[in-house]
Amino acid sequence: ILTVESGASRKRRVHGMLKMYYGMNEEGKADQPDSADPCDINGQNFDPDVYLNKLRRECSLGELMDQEGCMVKQIRSLDSDMQTLVYENYNKFISATDTIRKMKNDFKKMEDEMDCLTTNMAAITEFSASISGTLQDQHTQITKLSGVHSLLRKLQFLFELPARLNKCVELQAYGQAVSAHGRARCVLQQYSHLPSFRGIQDDCLLIMDGLRLQLRQRFRDGGSSAKDLSECVELLLQLDEPAEELCDKFLNHAGARLHLDLTGLETDILEFMDRGCNEFVSSLCLVVTSYQELFVSHAPAGAPGDVPRMASAKLQVFVDELAGRYFSIVERRIQGERGVGDNSLLVRALDRFHRRLQAVSKLLPGSTVPARGTQIVVRAATERVQRYLEALKSFYLDTLTDVRQALAAPRLSVAGGPGGLTPGGGLPDLLASLSASILNQIKAVLASVHLFTAKDITFSNKPYFKGEFCSRGVREDLVVSFIQFICQSSRGFCDSPGDKGGATPPALLLLLSRLCLDYETSTISYILTLTDEQFLVQHHSPVTPVTVLCAEAREAAQRLLNHYVKVQGLIISQMLRKSVETRDWVNTIEPRNVRAVMKRVVEDTTSIDGQVGLLYEEGVRKAHSSDSSKRTFSVYSSSRPQPRYAASYTPSAPMDTNLLSNIHKLFSERIDIFSSVEFNKVSVMTGIIKISLKTFLECVRLRTFGRFGLQQVQVDCHYLQMYLWRFVSDENLAHFLLDEIVGSTAHRCLDPAPMEQSVIEVICERG
Amino acid sequence: MEDDAPVIYGLEFQARALTAQTAETDAIRFLVGTQSLKFDNQIHIIDFDDENNIINKNVLLHQAGEIWNIGASPADKAVLTTCYNKNIATCALCVCVCVCVCVCVCAAACDSRVVSCASVWRMPCDWETGSSHESPDDSAHNPQTLELLCHLNDSAHGNASSVLWEPMGDGKRVISLVDNHALLWDLQESSTQATVSSTVTLEGKGQLKFTVGKWSPHHNCSQLATANDTAIRGWDLRTMSQIYCIENAHGQLVRDLDFNPNRQYYLASCGDDCKVRFWDVRNVQEPVKSLEEHSHWVWSVRYNHSHDQLVLTASSDSRLILSNMVSISSEPFGQLVDDEELSDGEDAQPSDKVKEPLTDSVVSTYEEHEDSVYAAEWSTADPWLFASLSYDGRLVINRVPRALKYRILL
């Protein structure tokens, strides 16, 4: 271990010595405390005595012996190192001395060559000076000659100018002529005091005048294209013609040509728009660009500063006037587009129209043309919506007419229909097809209108089409209006003055009532949701809420149903009334059977019941007083005291009837005859029966009866009771009214002898 | 401002005929005719004491038959007309016997008929004094009988349905409606003799019958309006020719008519379609106004005699409805007057503004009846009072609500 250590330290020592030799002290501060140690044998402050003393004090003899051996070894190696170094250095000194001696010889040689070079250079300088001195004269002569040459060329151009201009005019290369003249003009102007140049200038001016005339002529003739025209104008401008006059003329010509484009635009709308856009708008754009290039952006040099302004003002007026004309034609054309069949054509046409106008807006940023174009599109769209509303309305009315016809020929439709077994069996089918066809039509219309807001249509981005068109136009003016129209027209059926003739078939009333009710429950909200979804309506302005429409539809349904009840009630009433009014009740014969009218009434009621049942639910009845056996008379006769008639008709007690019926009335609610009904079958039937029986009652009160008259009424009422109870919600109501009828008849009877209940029953059983 | 409760009076018999005593302008008095097939019919003279809210009644016997229509002379308090049914039941017993043998023969042989007649009557002169001192329970007392002045019967014609007095006339002219004829009678020698001066006959298909008629108080009482089935016709009594015809005035039978007392061309009608309609007879295509408040047939419509915006209708839904038809009355239509008043100075008075909007509306619905109401009449003495009569014999006297009364007056 020690040897390794000492090896390492020796190495360090050698390094240290080398470093000292090269005068570098990189050991730094870290070594300084070590070097202060007097015992460090390699340190600067090494004190041999201290070290020796320390060794002697600390180490044993063996160790000292080792130390000594080691020391000797080190000293020996150091000596040999030293010898090697000295030897090496000596060799290097010798070689260095040799090199220096060689260099000394080389430098002497170089000095000689430099001296030689200097003398050579001096000779060269001398030669060069002499050569340039001899060439001086010739150089100036050549410069002069080349100047003369170019001048001569210019002069030649000037002299040839008239001829060249003539040639150009002949060849109609006006552009070249003008540019040539332009180049020569200044020079000619400058040297015009020289007679020869003056001649040339005069010639040129003459030719140019001719040229100008020719150009004007061509300009006036209108040229063949806008490009030709603009070329003409450009040349004329370069010839310093007055800009204002040119503006006017230019616009005149362009206008004439554009008017030509406008006339003769009469075909199918898309083609019309195409032609309008391609011919008119694009040539308008062309005119505008060339005009702007000519007069506005490259204002002619030396022209007064307000020329661009004047020019653009003129252009504005010109464009406005032309566009106005174009728009009026377009608008007329769009209005002519009345058919509602295919909307896409119109929308595409409008789109194209709008797109093209955008180009104008890019060209003329301040122009009102695009705005007016947009207005036209908006107007067209709103008008379209209006027209669709009309179409929907007429479609609705047509469908109603169809339904009417189908109702008028029920047999036919029943025979055709697979499931139609009873008369009017087609009602639910009719209802379904009616509502489906209306819904389909609405959807179709919505789809058509939707085209206006399609993504690929440029104007669909306009705020109008995003907002107002959807909410105001489509939702309110189209969908809501249509629903309101349905309700209104439905109400119209109820207000028809000819109640008597029954202008509207009752079945239609029933059908429409159900339709309106369906609308109230689901269809309206469905349609509106559909609209809102399709058009992403954002309601900026207040819109008609669904509830209001529903309420309206419900009201319409209610009125229709009430009217239905009324009409049907009146039909039956009419029968009953005629039957009571036309008979001589005093001198009638003893009843043998139920009168045919009553059978007819029951039949009609049954068929109405069937009809209503097809469209409306059963509804709730008041609890029956007994079970189904009630179809027999027992109910009728047992539900009220048998001896009542007998008691009330006794002459001795005239007050009794009053009293009895009054008491009865005290305990029964007041019956509203023509009142609102609920949306179910029972309520409808109750309404109809109420109306019929009340009529019966009032008619009976206006007549005077004989004994058999009373008995006949008894039989009739009993028969009605037998068959009508099942239709009404509260059979007591029917009982009450029928009792009233019989009671009133008894009052109006000269000889009130009621029939035996059992006999009545037998007669009624017999039919 | 509590309104007075209605006053109710009950008759023993069923009744349809009601009229105010037209010639009486001081006492509030109504005449009611009863309908009974078995007993002697009566005419009840109902006196209403407005201050004490008490009814006084007097009963006169009308033995001729059940009364369908009653009319009071505009000139003589004591004179009245009735239309009544006379039963000519000849051999009821015979019918009973031969029922089983030969019904047809018996029925032909024992013809029992009901004939409607019209007559002019005079009340006994002491009916008022005779009863006023005695106890109100007069029914036990033997009532006096009407004195027959003359029959308005013409053998050539059939059943009379109603008799109309010349409005505001001298009590000398009446019109009776008999089937499809309107007969104009001249009453002579204090109404004891009547002669037909002229007739109007309605020609047409089927059995036509005048259901109701009304003598117009305008144009010097030269016009008559009649109703048959759904049509209303106007007649000129001088030439006895038709002057207008409102076809299909109602969907169903027309039940009653009344002329606006102040606007000569305005006519109200009501009928079985539950509607009350107001017509300008110069334009018969469309009604001026149409009301549908009742839930059954409307049997009677009456304009108030002085304030023609008040219209009374009676219906077989047992209700009586008083409507305020401002927009078609002779009164200036609310706002104009009020605007002028407002501009006079007190512009923003809230009380005036509340008063302003008087619109057509139902003033009130009276539900005191429990049976069909067939007749309603305004009192001739008190313009704010009216009576209504239902089939069960209940007479109800009501007043126009005070609030409305003051609004009309002030």
Side-chain angles (χ1 to χ4, degrees):
Chain A
I1 290 170
L2 202 130
T3 51
V4 173
E5 249 182 17
S6 62
S9 65
R10 203 185 67 191
K11 225 179 212 170
R12 208 181 295 140
R13 223 179 309 144
V14 172
H15 275 282
M17 274 149 63
L18 275 173
K19 271 182 189 150
M20 275 163 66
Y21 171 75
Y22 289 110
M24 291 157 70
N25 188 9
E26 285 189 352
E27 299 286 344
K29 290 156 191 171
D31 282 335
Q32 269 167 5
D34 290 351
S35 57
D37 187 5
C39 302
D40 187 0
I41 203 163
N42 293 325
Q44 286 175 334
N45 308 328
F46 181 65
D47 191 342
D49 295 333
V50 177
Y51 182 65
L52 207 61
N53 287 339
K54 191 183 168 202
L55 279 181
R56 261 189 309 208
R57 238 184 295 135
E58 289 174 0
C59 303
S60 59
L61 183 63
E63 280 173 340
L64 278 177
M65 292 286 286
D66 287 346
Q67 189 78 26
E68 195 229 343
C70 180
M71 201 82 92
V72 170
K73 224 185 270 174
Q74 280 183 2
I75 288 167
R76 226 174 262 156
S77 83
L78 274 175
D79 279 345
S80 72
D81 279 353
M82 199 118 74
Q83 273 176 11
T84 332
L85 272 174
V86 169
Y87 179 73
E88 280 176 3
N89 280 346
Y90 181 72
N91 277 348
K92 277 178 188 167
F93 271 121
I94 289 171
S95 72
T97 318
D98 286 350
T99 312
I100 287 167
R101 195 175 299 140
K102 204 176 173 190
M103 273 171 71
K104 219 181 230 174
N105 287 340
D106 287 353
F107 270 116
K108 196 163 271 172
K109 215 171 173 183
M110 226 155 78
E111 214 163 85
D112 294 346
E113 279 175 15
M114 279 309 285
D115 283 350
C116 178
L117 187 65
T118 318
T119 46
N120 283 350
M121 280 313 288
I124 287 172
T125 317
E126 211 174 308
F127 278 126
S128 156
S130 70
I131 286 171
S132 58
T134 50
L135 285 183
Q136 185 76 37
D137 280 353
Q138 283 174 345
H139 182 74
T140 45
Q141 250 173 354
I142 285 171
T143 319
K144 213 185 226 168
L145 280 174
S146 77
V148 170
H149 177 72
S150 73
L151 189 65
L152 281 174
R153 276 178 70 128
K154 276 184 194 163
L155 279 175
Q156 190 186 8
F157 172 75
L158 278 183
F159 287 125
E160 280 175 3
L161 186 61
R164 182 186 285 213
L165 287 178
N166 271 332
K167 203 175 178 188
C168 281
V169 171
E170 245 167 65
L171 291 172
Q172 297 200 328
Y174 302 114
Q176 273 182 29
V178 172
S179 66
H181 178 250
R183 272 195 282 161
R185 197 162 46 177
C186 297
V187 184
L188 286 175
Q189 195 72 37
Q190 204 175 342
Y191 296 100
S192 57
H193 55 282
L194 295 177
S196 53
F197 282 111
R198 189 174 194 92
I200 292 171
Q201 192 186 16
D202 289 348
D203 281 358
C204 282
L205 283 180
L206 218 72
I207 293 165
M208 286 321 284
D209 280 345
L211 175 70
R212 201 168 293 171
L213 275 176
Q214 252 179 6
L215 278 176
R216 291 216 165 193
Q217 180 64 37
R218 197 167 145 193
F219 186 47
R220 210 166 301 127
D221 290 349
S224 53
S225 70
K227 214 169 168 186
D228 275 5
L229 255 188
S230 58
E231 198 184 291
C232 277
V233 173
E234 199 176 346
L235 295 177
L236 281 173
L237 268 178
Q238 285 179 11
L239 289 176
D240 282 346
E241 288 291 300
E244 187 166 350
E245 191 195 332
L246 284 177
C247 286
D248 285 347
K249 280 196 175 163
F250 180 76
L251 291 180
N252 273 346
H253 282 297
R257 255 203 339 276
L258 290 170
H259 280 315
L260 265 177
D261 280 353
L262 283 184
T263 52
L265 288 172
E266 291 305 327
T267 32
D268 133 61
I269 181 87
L270 190 60
E271 205 183 319
F272 166 82
M273 283 295 181
D274 256 356
R275 282 179 57 184
C277 293
N278 290 345
E279 292 180 5
F280 174 76
V281 180
S282 55
S283 33
L284 181 68
C285 288
L286 207 69
V287 167
V288 171
T289 17
S290 52
Y291 182 90
Q292 277 184 329
E293 264 176 28
L294 289 176
F295 298 107
V296 184
S297 31
H298 308 297
D306 58 345
V307 163
R309 208 178 317 139
M310 180 273 300
S312 40
K314 269 186 199 298
L315 180 65
Q316 202 78 277
V317 172
F318 167 76
V319 169
D320 281 357
E321 191 258 327
L322 265 182
R325 226 176 246 227
Y326 177 54
F327 287 156
S328 69
I329 289 176
V330 167
E331 211 148 1
R332 216 176 315 137
R333 187 69 185 85
I334 291 174
Q335 294 209 333
E337 202 66 7
R338 300 205 162 268
V340 286
D342 191 8
N343 198 33
S344 62
L345 215 60
L346 180 77
V347 173
R348 281 214 320 265
L350 284 175
D351 178 41
R352 217 162 282 188
F353 172 69
H354 189 260
R355 214 182 280 258
R356 283 304 173 106
L357 287 180
Q358 294 312 305
V360 178
S361 85
K362 268 173 211 149
L363 283 174
L364 276 178
S367 170
T368 55
V369 172
R372 277 162 65 193
T374 313
Q375 269 172 23
I376 285 183
V377 173
V378 166
R379 264 205 297 278
T382 43
E383 196 172 336
R384 208 71 192 150
V385 167
Q386 217 55 42
R387 198 137 291 148
Y388 272 117
L389 180 61
E390 294 299 319
L392 270 181
K393 282 180 182 174
S394 69
F395 174 81
Y396 175 68
L397 292 180
D398 286 352
T399 332
L400 281 195
T401 318
D402 290 352
V403 169
R404 246 175 219 260
Q405 274 163 0
L407 287 175
R411 303 287 160 204
L412 220 136
S413 73
V414 164
L421 295 168
T422 54
L427 270 182
D429 296 345
L430 271 177
L431 176 69
S433 72
L434 175 64
S435 72
S437 64
I438 291 174
L439 204 59
N440 281 339
Q441 192 69 15
I442 289 179
K443 279 182 183 166
V445 164
L446 279 182
S448 302
V449 175
H450 193 64
L451 291 174
F452 277 107
T453 59
K455 283 267 185 297
D456 54 338
I457 302 293
T458 43
F459 54 74
S460 66
N461 283 328
K462 295 270 168 199
Y464 171 78
F465 280 97
K466 282 199 157 168
E468 204 193 336
F469 179 73
C470 294
S471 65
R472 188 79 241 150
V474 176
R475 191 184 191 274
E476 292 294 297
D477 286 353
L478 187 65
V479 178
V480 173
S481 293
F482 179 58
I483 294 170
Q484 277 170 343
F485 171 75
I486 291 183
C487 297
Q488 242 163 38
S489 73
S490 303
R491 281 201 298 274
F493 285 119
C494 307
D495 296 335
S496 57
D499 297 19
K500 200 182 176 189
T504 338
L508 182 63
L509 292 175
L510 190 68
L511 195 75
L512 285 177
S513 152
R514 183 70 222 192
L515 182 74
C516 285
L517 191 67
D518 286 348
Y519 265 71
E520 191 257 332
T521 46
S522 59
T523 317
I524 286 180
S525 62
Y526 171 69
I527 292 174
L528 284 185
T529 319
L530 190 77
T531 314
D532 287 357
E533 274 172 5
Q534 266 197 20
F535 288 88
L536 300 170
V537 178
Q538 297 145 355
H539 303 302
H540 301 296
S541 49
V543 292
T544 320
V546 180
T547 46
V548 170
L549 281 180
C550 286
E552 200 169 329
R554 191 177 180 85
E555 195 223 316
Q558 183 73 61
R559 283 180 71 158
L560 281 166
L561 196 61
N562 287 350
H563 194 62
Y564 174 76
V565 168
K566 200 165 165 177
V567 168
Q568 292 287 29
L570 285 179
I571 291 172
I572 296 179
S573 293
Q574 212 62 263
M575 278 193 297
L576 286 168
R577 192 165 106 192
K578 284 271 141 53
S579 80
V580 175
E581 276 176 359
T582 52
R583 199 172 171 124
D584 180 5
W585 290 99
V586 179
N587 298 310
T588 186
I589 55 164
E590 189 177 15
R592 289 295 174 84
N593 37 31
V594 181
R595 282 187 300 150
V597 184
M598 296 302 156
K599 291 182 179 166
R600 181 75 199 284
V601 167
V602 169
E603 270 171 30
D604 280 12
T605 316
T606 314
S607 80
I608 292 171
D609 181 66
Q611 198 176 49
V612 179
L614 289 172
L615 292 181
Y616 279 99
E617 297 74 33
E618 182 71 26
V620 224
R621 293 164 191 279
K622 284 201 179 149
H624 293 145
S625 53
S626 68
D627 57 14
S628 57
S629 67
K630 163 169 351 182
R631 283 191 60 187
T632 64
F633 300 123
S634 54
V635 178
Y636 178 57
S637 44
S638 65
S639 66
R640 58 191 155 76
Q642 186 80 25
R644 191 188 138 188
Y645 283 167
S648 55
Y649 306 145
T650 46
S652 62
M655 292 286 291
D656 280 5
T657 31
N658 271 338
L659 202 66
L660 258 169
S661 80
N662 282 345
I663 289 171
H664 196 124
K665 279 172 194 162
L666 270 181
F667 292 104
S668 62
E669 281 174 30
R670 191 186 283 268
I671 302 166
D672 275 343
I673 305 302
F674 289 100
S675 54
S676 250
V677 292
E678 288 161 31
F679 293 108
N680 59 53
K681 190 179 86 176
V682 168
S683 178
V684 169
M685 294 313 293
T686 310
I688 293 171
I689 289 171
K690 265 197 307 198
I691 292 171
S692 313
L693 294 184
K694 180 73 177 178
T695 305
F696 197 4
L697 173 66
E698 291 296 338
C699 290
V700 157
R701 284 180 173 183
L702 289 170
R703 305 284 298 176
T704 309
F705 293 82
R707 177 163 64 164
F708 296 136
L710 166 67
Q711 292 182 352
Q712 182 69 61
V713 171
Q714 270 184 288
V715 169
D716 291 349
C717 285
H718 190 75
Y719 181 79
L720 288 180
Q721 170 64 30
M722 273 171 64
Y723 290 100
L724 293 187
W725 66 267
R726 73 184 94 161
F727 299 124
V728 296
S729 62
D730 180 7
E731 56 182 316
N732 288 327
L733 192 105
H735 287 174
F736 172 69
L737 280 168
L738 288 168
D739 281 357
E740 277 281 295
I741 293 169
V742 177
S744 287
T745 315
H747 262 296
R748 304 287 316 144
C749 184
L750 296 168
D751 176 24
M755 199 179 230
E756 275 291 313
Q757 188 65 30
S758 54
V759 181
I760 295 175
E761 283 170 24
V762 168
I763 292 175
C764 287
E765 292 270 279
R766 212 169 45 199
Chain B
M1 209 156 37
E2 197 63 29
D3 283 315
D4 292 322
V7 180
I8 299 176
Y9 170 74
L11 282 78
E12 295 89 343
F13 302 106
Q14 289 169 332
R16 280 173 184 271
L18 168 72
T19 183
Q21 196 177 29
T22 321
E24 176 62 76
T25 49
D26 297 329
I28 299 162
R29 187 172 296 153
F30 293 98
L31 306 178
V32 180
T34 63
Q35 282 197 317
S36 171
L37 290 166
K38 290 166 272 294
F39 302 97
D40 277 345
N41 281 289
Q42 302 164 337
I43 286 181
H44 288 237
I45 303 163
I46 313 288
D47 262 309
F48 181 62
D49 184 345
D50 197 18
E51 282 168 15
N52 302 317
N53 248 17
I54 297 172
I55 282 178
N56 292 316
K57 65 150 185 178
N58 288 286
V59 178
L60 298 174
L61 278 185
H62 179 278
Q63 281 155 332
E66 52 171 5
I67 302 167
W68 287 86
N69 179 280
I70 190 168
S73 160
D76 190 342
K77 287 184 210 176
V79 176
L80 63 116
T81 55
T82 58
C83 290
Y84 53 92
N85 273 8
K86 220 161 34 182
N87 302 314
I88 312 168
T90 39
C91 42
L93 189 75
C94 168
V95 175
C96 296
V97 172
C98 47
V99 156
C100 14
V101 186
C102 174
V103 177
C104 310
V105 176
C106 285
C110 317
D111 192 11
S112 89
R113 288 195 307 132
V114 178
V115 185
S116 337
C117 314
S119 297
V120 186
W121 309 87
R122 173 178 287 283
M123 301 179 196
C125 48
D126 57 340
W127 62 269
E128 209 165 356
T129 50
S131 63
S132 57
H133 301 297
E134 292 180 29
S135 63
D137 184 27
D138 226 4
S139 52
H141 191 76
N142 218 14
Q144 289 173 294
T145 313
L146 281 172
E147 176 193 336
L148 176 70
L149 289 178
C150 61
H151 289 296
L152 296 176
N153 285 351
D154 190 348
S155 51
H157 302 111
N159 298 319
S161 66
S162 64
V163 176
L164 316 168
W165 286 93
E166 183 182 30
M168 294 168 286
D170 53 1
K172 295 291 179 206
R173 298 215 292 171
V174 292
I175 291 174
S176 66
L177 298 176
V178 182
D179 286 343
N180 59 338
H181 309 286
L183 311 177
L184 178 61
W185 302 81
D186 281 333
L187 300 178
Q188 288 146 359
E189 295 164 34
S190 59
S191 308
T192 50
Q193 231 185 353
T195 51
V196 176
S197 67
S198 49
T199 61
V200 168
T201 306
L202 177 63
E203 306 286 353
K205 285 186 289 186
Q207 264 201 321
L208 295 172
K209 196 168 176 289
F210 285 128
T211 49
V212 71
K214 199 80 188 180
W215 199 329
S216 164
H218 307 292
H219 312 290
N220 210 11
C221 299
S222 62
Q223 288 189 7
L224 170 76
T226 61
N228 62 296
D229 201 18
T230 61
I232 297 173
R233 289 164 203 276
W235 307 88
D236 188 333
L237 293 174
R238 294 165 299 190
T239 59
M240 298 313 258
S241 57
Q242 184 176 314
I243 42 179
Y244 57 85
C245 174
I246 310 172
E247 297 280 4
N248 286 323
H250 285 268
Q252 307 278 307
L253 202 69
V254 179
R255 290 280 173 192
D256 199 12
L257 300 169
D258 199 17
F259 280 98
N260 186 314
N262 299 324
R263 303 185 79 178
Q264 53 184 346
Y265 296 110
Y266 274 67
L267 174 70
S269 67
C270 60
D272 286 1
D273 56 0
C274 310
K275 287 181 179 132
V276 179
R277 287 188 163 153
F278 298 89
W279 304 89
D280 183 336
V281 297
R282 292 165 297 185
N283 174 21
V284 297
Q285 304 304 319
E286 284 286 314
V288 183
K289 202 93 188 171
S290 189
L291 292 181
E292 194 171 0
E293 304 291 345
H294 286 290
S295 69
H296 202 241
W297 306 350
V298 187
W299 287 76
S300 173
V301 57
R302 288 287 179 267
Y303 276 110
N304 187 300
H305 302 303
S306 0
H307 305 283
D308 56 56
Q309 64 267 53
L310 297 177
V311 177
L312 199 61
T313 51
S315 156
S316 42
D317 63 1
S318 323
R319 288 191 184 94
L320 190 69
I321 290 182
L322 177 63
S323 310
N324 190 12
M325 304 303 292
V326 193
S327 67
I328 50 170
S329 74
S330 61
E331 306 264 320
F333 192 28
Q335 256 161 335
L336 279 173
V337 180
D338 284 355
D339 281 348
E340 279 169 20
E341 280 176 5
L342 280 178
S343 61
D344 276 351
E346 31 184 347
D347 353 23
Q349 287 256 330
S351 59
D352 279 57
K353 284 209 166 161
V354 170
K355 198 177 155 189
E356 216 172 308
L358 264 175
T359 48
D360 293 353
S361 59
V362 170
V363 176
S364 62
T365 304
Y366 301 94
E367 310 217 352
E368 281 84 22
H369 293 286
E370 272 156 9
D371 204 335
S372 306
V373 188
Y374 293 130
E377 287 287 350
W378 292 95
S379 163
T380 44
D382 181 349
W384 308 107
L385 194 124
F386 54 89
S388 55
L389 179 68
S390 58
Y391 190 59
D392 54 7
R394 179 181 291 187
L395 181 85
V396 179
I397 293 178
N398 261 308
R399 291 182 187 83
V400 175
R402 284 220 181 108
L404 177 67
K405 175 175 164 181
Y406 291 140
R407 242 166 109 171
I408 291 172
L409 285 178
L410 300 178

